Amino acid sequence: MMTNLFSIFDPATTIFTLPLNWMSSFMSLIILPYTFWLIPSRTNMMWIQLTNFINKELKILINKNAKGSNIIFTTIFMFIMINNFMGLFPYIFTSSSHMSMTLSLSLPLWMSLMIFGWMKFYNNMFAHMVPMGTPSILMPFMVMIESISNLIRPGTLAIRLAANMIAGHLLITLISSTGPSSSTILISFMVLAQILLLSLESAVAIIQAYVFSILSTLYSSEIK
């Protein structure tokens, strides 16, 4: 029984002490198109076209000195998008709505970029602290502001993804929870509203994966 609205996001369902909710992140491997055949299927061709499109979009933003890193961000986009879509199916836990997953993606990525940047390009990293044309009296404040904005980047990436995935699911749950006690006409409107919300959530699943990968790419492009 659902004790509160947020219990649908509780990753504590276990069978034989196995946390099955997190298996949704691995179930996506089943639906990935395989390349065993000489002639690719339509699903495989669609997957290749989507990958090439995201790869071209990210390659424009990536620093020329970081060749090959677009593969990392393309993989992150695909991983987040698949997990977002898996959460739209009934009885499947949305792993991308939990902070333990989103923060596990953003924090190591941000830390690796910071460690690499401060070890290799520390002069440029210091230069990013003070924008060009800043008055001398405002430089200490700009360093403080830029340092704080840099430190909260992994948190904002994680919270943005989790909050956007939670919001749509909560709205769908709120609408469906009032269904049994409603009239037939109201139920028909609720079903139509849920169909529209599912369409909106499908777009949000793609947009949030795109925003996460684009922001990660922009953060990496600052290290040069």
Side-chain angles (χ1 to χ4, degrees):
M1 182 178 178
M2 186 173 65
T3 57
N4 57 69
L5 287 174
F6 289 93
S7 62
I8 60 174
F9 302 104
D10 183 17
T13 303
T14 58
I15 296 180
F16 301 112
T17 67
L18 295 175
L20 297 184
N21 276 340
W22 293 105
M23 289 298 294
S24 61
S25 299
F26 301 99
M27 287 173 59
S28 58
L29 298 175
I30 301 174
I31 63 175
L32 289 179
Y34 298 102
T35 57
F36 294 146
W37 314 108
L38 182 62
I39 301 175
S41 62
R42 293 182 180 179
T43 306
N44 202 354
M45 292 176 63
M46 183 179 67
W47 182 265
I48 293 172
Q49 289 179 359
L50 178 61
T51 306
N52 291 335
F53 174 76
I54 298 299
N55 194 17
K56 290 178 181 178
E57 290 289 324
L58 299 179
K59 191 180 292 185
I60 300 173
L61 304 174
I62 290 177
N63 183 17
K64 295 181 179 180
N65 297 325
K67 294 181 179 179
S69 59
N70 55 326
I71 300 176
I72 299 174
F73 300 111
T74 305
T75 305
I76 290 175
F77 171 83
M78 293 298 181
F79 178 73
I80 295 175
M81 185 187 68
I82 290 174
N83 280 280
N84 291 345
F85 272 111
M86 292 295 290
L88 298 178
F89 291 96
Y91 305 106
I92 294 181
F93 171 66
T94 311
S95 57
S96 56
S97 67
H98 208 274
M99 284 291 294
S100 59
M101 174 186 170
T102 57
L103 198 60
S104 298
L105 285 174
S106 61
L107 187 59
L109 182 63
W110 175 82
M111 287 188 65
S112 60
L113 292 175
M114 288 297 102
I115 292 172
F116 176 76
W118 284 104
M119 289 181 64
K120 296 292 184 180
F121 309 104
Y122 56 89
N123 290 328
N124 294 330
M125 297 297 289
F126 277 117
H128 283 303
M129 294 292 180
V130 182
M132 188 177 297
T134 304
S136 300
I137 193 172
L138 295 179
M139 285 184 180
F141 299 101
M142 292 304 300
V143 171
M144 185 183 303
I145 293 172
E146 290 295 327
S147 300
I148 294 174
S149 65
N150 199 0
L151 289 174
I152 65 174
R153 280 178 177 179
T156 54
L157 280 176
I159 294 172
R160 182 186 292 108
L161 176 59
N164 281 280
M165 297 310 298
I166 286 175
H169 287 67
L170 282 180
L171 190 57
I172 294 174
T173 305
L174 280 171
I175 294 175
S176 61
S177 61
T178 58
S181 59
S182 303
S183 61
T184 306
I185 299 176
L186 187 58
I187 289 177
S188 61
F189 280 108
M190 290 170 55
V191 171
L192 180 61
Q194 285 192 334
I195 293 173
L196 294 176
L197 281 174
L198 282 175
S199 303
L200 179 62
E201 281 295 296
S202 301
V204 170
I206 301 174
I207 292 170
Q208 289 305 313
Y210 184 75
V211 168
F212 191 98
S213 57
I214 286 292
L215 289 178
S216 301
T217 307
L218 290 174
Y219 295 158
S220 67
S221 64
E222 293 181 0
I223 302 174
K224 55 184 179 179

